[in-house]
Amino acid sequence: MAFPPAFLDELAARNPIEEVVGQYVSLKRSGANMFGLCPFHGEKTASFSVAPDKGIYYCFGCHKGGNAVNFMMEIEGLSYPDAVRSLAKRAGLEVPDDEQYQSKYRQQERLWALHKEAARFFHAKLQAPEGAAALQYALGRGMPKSTIINFGIGYAPDTWSSLVDYLRKKGYTDQELRDSGLVTVSKKNGNLFDRFRDRLMFPIIDVRGNVIGFGGRIMKKDDNAAKYLNSPETLIFNKRKNLFGLNVAKKTKLPYMILVEGYMDAIALHQYGFDCAVASLGTSLTEEHAVLLSRYTENVVLIYDGDEAGQRAAQRAIPMLEKAGLSIKVLQLKDAKDPDEYLKKFGADKFQLLLNDSSNRVEYQLNAIRKKYDLGLDDQRVKFIAEAAEFVSTLTNAVQREIYGTRAAEAAGISFEAMKIEVNKAYKRRIAREKKKQERLDLAPAANLQPKTRQFRYDNVRSAMAEETVLSMVLKSAALLDQTALLKPEHFSSELLGRVYGQFAQRHKLGLEVNLSGLELSGDEMSHIAGIAQRQTGPINERALEDCVRTILSEYRKRHVSSEEDIMALREKMKERKGIRQ
């Protein structure tokens, strides 16, 4: 939907960018701008900037940027119309309606409500006679009734359409049931059946408190059915972007979060007082999960199963968590296969001691390398030394390299001096590779001027640099558009920059404020324009503006003007324009 420009201006005025962003990011003022840790990628040094005077944000690390609407789209995963609605609701503004406007937000609201009803249904069935066996199972697994209530645990009856019938009576259509992922559709006749049958049900709740899906554990042993079954991905459920238990764990007072593999482990930890536990949703940890965690903590304790598959999963998770700026410890359980079993055997106090003694990720990874080799064999020791030296060389801190180099030397039965030589050689090789890569970049200055996002590559860098400067200057002073009236969007070498210039010129013509809030752009396009606005921070220079206009027109002539008459005519037009000197 194309919202009226005047409405978008009012929306921007009522939702100051620093207040909108400040709900999610801790910001500190530095001069005219404010800075904080980027919520879209992990970092330890703040590269995320907010410019209140421009109404924009921009991250110099991941290059995401835009206005308040774009921020809500990115942080909450909303469509453009839904982000506008969200900000309008925040500011108490009425959104102009359009008969053709079909917002996904309305569908989402219906699906959230449907899932809430389903959660009530499952929870009630667990307390009913038909859920007696499932309730006994839950109690037998050590879940008190308080835990069952707190996590909304329920039971899906062993019937074909109990949930379908219940939700239909509540007014939900068959299409909404299909969209929910809670039903299966018969290939023969199209009839709807319950997806979850005879399963202990765990509601999956997002950080805003909405029920978005379910996980179900089968009650009767069935070799043809999965032990655990999750909701499929839907409009409201993306397993790569949600973590089980985070809606509760985000409130923890503990200075870390515990990441485990399964629902039962997370619930057990909460029962025993570790209210910081979360679990991935039937999938390996993703970068989205890591960034999500980094919004609520700086430290993560990783507890994965001790089998080979669990250790491989831990090794994959470590670099993703580190990339998100998180400090990582790894807890390896002894005498139990998972946290649930350990807590039942030994209790919370012993588990706390394990947590206190958990190894940092470097110790864990070095130990994992050692386990790969038989250090009683000389050829295996040589391979271990080579791999350990390569790993230790990646540590950025010299003290760390010395400490862990010493441990690797002790494990291999060689002197620290010999190990230090190998580490230094590996370190120098890596630095040389990185230096060579940087030199290649330095020798290609035109490439350095290209946008960070490949989809916006400039065909004519000279013209595009001038176009960026023009946009930046008119954002600072819209009156300059009177001096650039000779420029048309088609003169720009970059279609995106020309389109933005055209929208600026149109807003100026209508007497509207020239800013980024009224632009009709995709998220990536807005990030690129916000980046230009944040990078170009110099004062307004009218002579520089004239030079930029001249460059843009000159490059346009090279691309499109073929005859001498065309060139002469264009020159005459330029001479006639006030403020453009030839």
Side-chain angles (χ1 to χ4, degrees), residues 20-157:
V20 174
V21 173
Q23 297 174 106
Y24 302 85
V25 181
S26 177
L27 296 171
K28 292 183 180 178
R29 185 169 289 278
S30 178
N33 293 342
M34 304 176 82
F35 288 86
L37 296 176
C38 181
F40 306 124
H41 83 286
E43 59 179 9
K44 293 185 178 178
T45 303
S47 61
F48 181 84
S49 67
V50 173
D53 58 329
K54 299 174 185 174
I56 61 173
Y57 70 93
Y58 184 72
C59 177
F60 292 93
C62 67
H63 310 292
K64 290 185 185 295
N67 56 28
V69 175
N70 299 107
F71 183 82
M72 292 304 295
M73 289 170 67
E74 193 71 36
I75 199 82
E76 294 288 0
L78 302 175
S79 66
Y80 176 78
D82 295 337
V84 169
R85 279 184 157 256
S86 174
L87 289 175
K89 186 176 180 180
R90 178 183 183 274
L93 281 173
E94 198 72 35
V95 180
D97 275 330
D98 188 311
E99 290 181 5
Q100 296 180 347
Y101 179 50
Q102 296 282 325
S103 174
K104 283 186 180 178
Y105 189 72
R106 290 175 183 170
Q107 296 176 45
Q108 287 175 324
E109 284 184 320
R110 287 287 289 175
L111 288 177
W112 286 328
L114 183 154
H115 277 74
K116 191 173 182 179
E117 282 292 352
R120 286 174 177 155
F121 172 82
F122 291 137
H123 189 65
K125 290 299 179 185
L126 185 64
Q127 315 302 324
E130 59 206 294
L135 180 59
Q136 284 306 308
Y137 171 82
L139 295 171
R141 288 292 302 261
M143 287 187 225
K145 288 195 175 180
S146 59
T147 295
I148 291 170
I149 292 169
N150 290 341
F151 282 89
I153 296 167
Y155 173 66

Side-chain angles (χ1 to χ4, degrees), residues 379-517:
D379 62 330
Q380 294 278 292
R381 286 170 65 211
V382 170
K383 289 178 181 177
F384 164 73
I385 291 165
E387 187 172 348
E390 192 68 41
F391 169 69
V392 172
S393 78
T394 65
L395 304 177
T396 54
N397 186 295
V399 174
Q400 278 188 313
R401 291 198 296 274
E402 180 168 342
I403 289 171
Y404 294 107
T406 300
R407 292 190 186 175
E410 290 170 353
I414 62 172
S415 68
F416 169 66
E417 287 71 22
M419 192 69 197
K420 186 177 180 180
I421 291 170
E422 293 304 312
V423 170
N424 286 341
K425 283 196 292 189
Y427 182 74
K428 286 175 182 176
R429 282 196 303 270
R430 191 169 57 79
I431 294 300
R433 287 195 299 270
E434 291 174 2
K435 187 178 178 182
K436 207 168 191 177
K437 184 179 178 181
Q438 187 59 48
E439 284 174 351
R440 283 199 298 271
L441 290 174
D442 293 341
L443 290 171
N448 289 334
L449 295 174
Q450 287 285 4
K452 302 300 180 185
T453 307
R454 287 192 171 275
Q455 71 185 91
F456 304 126
R457 305 308 275 178
Y458 292 149
D459 294 329
N460 186 325
V461 173
R462 183 168 184 264
S463 180
M465 292 300 101
E467 293 159 19
E468 285 190 358
T469 302
V470 168
L471 294 183
S472 177
M473 286 194 184
V474 299
L475 267 173
K476 293 171 187 170
S477 174
L480 294 175
L481 283 162
D482 295 327
Q483 298 181 35
T484 64
L486 185 65
L487 274 181
K488 306 296 178 193
E490 58 266 25
H491 294 147
F492 284 59
S493 63
S494 163
E495 184 275 335
L496 171 61
L497 302 185
R499 182 156 36 97
V500 171
Y501 175 80
Q503 291 185 37
F504 282 167
Q506 182 65 19
R507 290 179 67 83
H508 183 58
K509 185 178 177 180
L510 294 171
L512 297 169
E513 187 178 349
V514 173
N515 54 36
L516 299 189
S517 65

Side-chain angles (χ1 to χ4, degrees), residues 320 345 367 570:
M320 282 187 277
K345 276 186 179 180
N367 191 45
L570 193 55

